[in-house]
C-alpha cells in the first residue's frame, strides 16, 4: 500500500486529515493509487517524464550551469478540489479580476480611488509599471486584463488566500493542459470514473477573448486576425508560446515579423503584408515598442503603441497592467473590492507589511529573521528573502536594500502552505503546493476549472517556482459533491 507510511504531520494536508483519514473527495484517487505497486508507479512516472522530453514540454533556466533547457518536473498524483470548494474559489477570482479591471481603468482616467484617499497616490504613481504614457487612452470594451493567473495558497486551517496576481504576461497554462493529457494517459480509468471538469477548451476560450476584444473600428465580416507575439526561441516560456499559438490556430510572430504603416500593424508574409487586428503579447511593456519605452529593445515593434492609441490594434493584456500586480499595490486589492464593488473580499490576501510605512518598516527590520520579504516587482521566486531559513549575510543584505528603497519591499509572516502526497522516487512524502488558476475576461469572465498546481519538490521548501526547482501536478476539479 503506497500510502501506508505517509504522515500528514503538522500541516494542512490536501488528501488526509490530521489523524490520517482520507478526505471524501480524495477517496477514489487514494484507493486507486493504493492498488499500484511501487515499481509500477515508478515506471508510470518515468514514462510521463520521457513523453514530456520527447514532446518538448520544457522551460529554460538561464542561471543553471547544467544546461538551460529542462522538462517541467511532473508528479503523477493529482491534486483534487471538491466542487463546493471550487465554487467559492471561482466566485472569489471573478470578484477580484472585476475589481482589478475597474482599478486599472480608474487610475488611467479619473483616478477617483486616489482622490478619495483609498490608496495613497505615491504607491500608484511611483509604481515601476505605472505607464504615464498611457493616460486617457481608451481600450477595446474597457477590458485591460484579458488573461490573469492568480496564485492561491491554503493556510494551516485550509483557507484559500491570494498570494499574488499576475496581470502582465501570466505563464503556465500550457503546462496545465499538458499535465492533464499526461495524467489521462497514465490513469485513464481513474480519470474517467472521477467526474473531473475538462480544461481542454482553454485555448478555444482564449481565442474567443481575443476576438471579442478586437479594435472598435474592426468592421470585417471575417474573424479578427490574431497573432501571438513572442520574444523568440530563447525565451524561458517559448514552449508555451508555440503551444498556445498552435492550439488556437494563429500565427506566432516575433517583433521583426510585424511592421506599422499608417498607424496600422501588418504581418510580413510570403504573400505580402497582412493586417493584424489583435496581438496576444508575451513581451513586457518595456520591450514592446522601442520608440516609446526602451530604445534598445530588439524584441518589439516600432510604432506599435501609436497604432494601439489610434484604435487600430488590440493588445492582450493591455499596456500598463503591471501596476496592479505590483506587490505593494497588492496590499490594497481588498480596499479596491470594497471601493468599486461594495463587497468584502471572498478570497482574502495574506497579511502584508509595507516597508514604506514607518511603523511597518520598523517591524520588518526588527524581525527579518522571522518574515518573508519580497521585492515589489520580481517574480519566479527571485528578489525574495525567506527569513527563517536565510543566512545572516542574506538578512543583512536585505536590510541595506530595504533601508535604501523601502517602497520596493513588502513583508509577510511565513505561511505553512498546504501539503500534498508527492512521489519522491520510492515512496510518498508531503510537499508544499500552491495553485494558479487561469481567468479569462472577454464577453464574460471564465475561470478555467483547474489550473496549475505547483509543488516544492525539495523537502521542507516553500518555494514552488519552476525556476527554483519546483514541479507541478494536474488539478482535478470535481463536477459533483461527494458525500461525507
Amino acid at each position: 500500500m503506497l500510502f501506508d507510511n505517509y504522515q500528514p504531520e503538522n500541516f494542512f494536508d490536501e488528501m488526509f486529515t490530521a489523524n490520517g483519514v482520507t478526505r471524501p473527495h480524495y477517496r477514489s484517487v487514494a484507493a486507486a493509487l493504493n492498488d499500484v505497486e511501487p515499481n509500477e508507479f515508478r515506471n508510470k512516472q518515468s514514462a510521463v517524464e520521457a513523453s514530456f522530453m520527447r514532446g518538448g514540454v520544457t522551460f529554460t533556466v538561464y542561471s543553471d550551469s547544467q544546461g538551460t533547457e529542462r522538462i517541467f518536473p511532473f508528479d503523477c498524483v493529482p491534486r483534487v478540489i471538491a466542487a463546493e470548494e471550487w465554487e467559492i474559489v471561482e466566485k472569489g477570482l471573478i470578484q477580484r479580476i472585476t475589481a482589478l479591471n475597474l482599478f486599472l481603468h480608474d487610475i488611467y482616467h479619473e483616478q477617483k480611488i486616489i482622490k478619495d484617499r483609498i490608496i495613497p497616490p505615491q504607491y500608484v504613481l511611483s509604481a515601476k509599471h505605472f505607464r504615464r504614457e498611457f493616460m486617457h487612452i481608451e481600450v477595446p470594451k474597457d477590458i485591460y486584463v484579458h488573461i490573469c493567473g492568480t496564485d492561491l495558497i491554503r493556510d494551516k486551517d485550509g483557507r484559500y488566500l491570494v498570494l499574488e496576481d499576475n496581470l502582465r504576461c501570466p505563464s503556465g497554462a500550457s503546462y496545465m493542459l499538458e499535465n492533464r493529457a499526461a495524467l489521462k494517459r497514465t490513469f485513464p480509468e481513474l480519470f474517467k470514473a472521477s467526474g473531473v471538469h475538462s480544461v481542454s477548451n482553454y485555448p478555444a476560450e482564449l481565442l474567443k477573448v481575443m476576438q471579442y476584444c478586437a479594435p472598435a473600428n474592426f468592421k470585417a465580416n471575417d474573424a479578427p486576425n490574431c497573432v501571438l507575439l513572442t520574444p523568440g526561441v530563447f525565451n524561458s516560456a517559448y514552449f508555451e508560446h508555440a503551444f498556445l499559438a498552435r492550439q488556437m490556430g494563429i500565427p506566432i510572430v516575433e517583433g521583426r515579423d510585424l511592421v506599422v504603416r499608417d498607424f496600422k500593424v501588418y504581418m510580413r508574409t510570403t504573400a505580402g503584408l497582412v493586417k493584424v487586428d489583435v496581438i496576444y503579447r508575451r513581451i513586457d511593456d518595456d520591450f514592446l515598442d522601442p520608440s516609446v519605452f526602451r530604445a534598445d529593445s530588439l524584441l518589439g515593434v516600432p510604432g506599435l503603441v501609436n497604432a494601439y492609441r489610434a484604435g487600430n490594434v488590440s493588445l492582450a493584456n493591455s499596456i500598463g497592467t503591471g501596476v496592479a500586480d505590483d506587490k505593494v499595490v497588492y496590499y490594497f486589492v481588498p480596499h479596491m473590492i470594497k471601493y468599486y464593488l461594495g463587497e468584502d473580499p471572498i478570497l482574502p490576501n495574506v497579511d502584508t507589511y509595507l516597508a514604506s510605512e514607518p511603523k511597518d518598516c520598523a517591524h520588518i527590520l526588527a524581525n527579518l529573521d522571522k518574515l518573508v520579504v519580497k521585492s515589489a516587482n520580481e517574480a519566479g521566486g527571485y528578489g525574495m528573502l525567506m527569513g527563517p531559513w536565510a543566512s545572516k549575510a542574506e538578512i543583512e543584505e536585505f536590510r541595506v536594500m530595504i533601508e535604501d528603497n523601502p517602497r520596493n519591499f513588502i513583508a509577510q509572516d511565513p505561511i505553512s502552505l498546504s501539503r500534498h502526497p508527492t512521489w519522491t522516487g520510492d515512496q510518498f512524502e508531503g510537499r508544499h503546493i500552491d495553485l494558479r488558476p487561469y481567468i479569462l475576461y472577454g464577453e464574460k469572465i471564465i475561470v478555467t476549472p483547474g489550473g496549475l498546481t505547483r509543488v516544492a519538490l525539495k523537502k521542507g521548501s516553500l518555494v514552488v517556482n519552476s525556476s527554483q526547482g519546483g514541479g507541478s501536478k494536474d488539478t482535478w476539479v470535481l463536477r459533483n459533491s461527494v458525500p461525507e
Side-chain angles (χ1 to χ4, degrees), residues 167-228:
L167 307 174
R168 282 172 283 168
C169 304
S171 62
S174 61
Y175 303 112
M176 169 186 72
L177 297 169
E178 287 285 9
N179 288 354
R180 175 59 54 84
L183 212 57
K184 285 173 72 174
R185 291 194 302 268
T186 306
F187 297 108
E189 298 86 3
L190 174 59
F191 180 84
K192 187 175 181 180
S194 296
V196 179
H197 275 287
S198 174
V199 297
S200 61
N201 62 341
Y202 176 85
E205 294 295 345
L206 175 56
L207 182 59
K208 287 180 185 177
V209 167
M210 294 170 63
Q211 293 172 339
Y212 177 73
C213 294
N217 59 9
F218 176 77
K219 297 289 194 293
N221 293 324
D222 297 330
N225 192 19
C226 305
V227 301
L228 188 151

Side-chain angles (χ1 to χ4, degrees), residues 306-344:
N306 283 336
Y308 189 37
R309 284 174 175 155
N312 293 323
V313 70
S314 294
L315 296 176
N317 288 339
S318 178
I319 294 170
T321 56
V323 64
D325 66 16
D326 182 299
K327 291 180 177 64
V328 173
V329 176
Y330 156 91
Y331 174 90
F332 295 98
V333 175
H335 303 265
M336 297 177 200
I337 293 171
K338 193 71 173 177
Y339 180 74
Y340 294 115
L341 305 179
E343 301 170 356
D344 293 324

Side-chain angles (χ1 to χ4, degrees), residues 436-451:
R436 177 176 290 182
Y438 294 93
I439 308 101
L440 299 175
Y441 196 153
E443 188 171 7
K444 59 182 179 178
I445 300 173
I446 295 175
V447 182
T448 304

Side-chain angles (χ1 to χ4, degrees), residues 407-461:
R407 164 61 179 83
N408 195 44
F409 293 93
I410 65 164
Q412 297 167 335
D413 294 312
I415 293 180
S416 295
L417 279 63
S418 63
R419 295 207 316 182
H420 198 288
T422 302
W423 185 250
T424 61
D426 54 4
Q427 64 179 350
F428 287 116
E429 295 181 3
R431 293 291 186 267
H432 294 290
I433 60 171
D434 77 352
L435 174 65
R436 177 176 290 182
Y438 294 93
I439 308 101
L440 299 175
Y441 196 153
E443 188 171 7
K444 59 182 179 178
I445 300 173
I446 295 175
V447 182
T448 304
L452 184 66
T453 289
R454 300 182 298 178
V455 53
L457 295 176
K458 296 177 183 176
K459 189 171 185 177
S461 174

Side-chain angles (χ1 to χ4, degrees), residues 34-320:
N34 249 340
D35 289 337
V36 179
E37 292 295 327
N39 280 339
E40 183 185 354
F41 194 92
R42 192 177 295 113
N43 291 338
K44 287 179 180 291
Q45 186 74 47
S46 298
V48 169
E49 292 170 359
S51 71
F52 276 13
M53 184 58 74
R54 289 193 302 270
V57 186
T58 60
F59 68 100
T60 304
V61 180
Y62 298 112
S63 59
D64 194 329
S65 59
Q66 297 180 358
T68 59
E69 195 158 339
R70 62 177 71 170
I71 63 169
F72 195 176
F74 175 70
D75 183 71
C76 282
V77 185
R79 188 240 188 100
V80 182
I81 300 177
E84 53 272 20
E85 282 182 12
W86 184 254
E87 184 179 354
I88 296 171
V89 169
E90 184 178 41
K91 288 179 180 177
L93 293 172
I94 290 173
Q95 178 194 61
R96 196 170 179 96
I97 196 173
T98 301
L100 286 165
N101 193 73
L102 291 169
F103 167 73
L104 286 164
H105 185 276
D106 185 17
I107 63 163
Y108 286 115
H109 291 83
E110 299 90 351
Q111 298 188 341
K112 291 179 181 178
I113 198 167
I114 293 176
K115 294 172 183 175
D116 289 340
R117 302 185 179 183
I118 305 300
I119 301 179
Q122 66 270 22
Y123 288 131
V124 173
L125 302 180
S126 67
K128 178 181 178 181
H129 297 289
F130 176 67
R131 302 299 182 187
R132 289 172 174 78
E133 309 92 333
F134 198 55
M135 288 296 298
H136 305 294
I137 303 300
E138 300 301 325
V139 302
K141 309 292 195 301
D142 285 336
I143 299 174
Y144 288 75
V145 181
H146 309 85
I147 308 106
C148 176
T150 295
D151 293 341
L152 304 178
I153 61 173
R154 299 183 82 175
D155 63 12
K156 59 183 176 58
D157 299 317
R159 290 189 311 151
Y160 283 97
L161 305 173
V162 177
L163 188 62
E164 64 181 50
D165 303 288
N166 298 280
L167 307 174
R168 282 172 283 168
C169 304
S171 62
S174 61
Y175 303 112
M176 169 186 72
L177 297 169
E178 287 285 9
N179 288 354
R180 175 59 54 84
L183 212 57
K184 285 173 72 174
R185 291 194 302 268
T186 306
F187 297 108
E189 298 86 3
L190 174 59
F191 180 84
K192 187 175 181 180
S194 296
V196 179
H197 275 287
S198 174
V199 297
S200 61
N201 62 341
Y202 176 85
E205 294 295 345
L206 175 56
L207 182 59
K208 287 180 185 177
V209 167
M210 294 170 63
Q211 293 172 339
Y212 177 73
C213 294
N217 59 9
F218 176 77
K219 297 289 194 293
N221 293 324
D222 297 330
N225 192 19
C226 305
V227 301
L228 188 151
L229 176 61
T230 177
V233 296
F234 297 108
N235 183 263
S236 61
Y238 183 75
F239 162 78
E240 171 153 301
H241 304 166
F243 177 90
L244 290 176
R246 184 169 64 250
Q247 292 293 314
M248 289 188 286
I250 66 174
I252 182 170
V253 298
E254 298 180 27
R256 60 189 175 182
D257 299 319
L258 301 179
V259 62
V260 176
R261 297 282 187 272
D262 297 325
F263 301 103
K264 296 180 177 65
V265 180
Y266 296 89
M267 174 174 56
R268 292 186 172 99
T269 74
T270 54
L273 296 180
V274 174
K275 188 173 181 296
V276 173
D277 302 299
V278 184
I279 299 174
Y280 176 26
R281 51 96 170 212
R282 296 298 296 259
I283 296 178
D284 282 343
D285 291 353
D286 284 338
F287 302 97
L288 201 54
D289 184 342
S291 63
V292 176
F293 300 119
R294 284 186 52 163
D296 61 344
S297 172
L298 301 177
L299 304 176
V301 184
L304 176 58
V305 170
N306 283 336
Y308 189 37
R309 284 174 175 155
N312 293 323
V313 70
S314 294
L315 296 176
N317 288 339
S318 178
I319 294 170

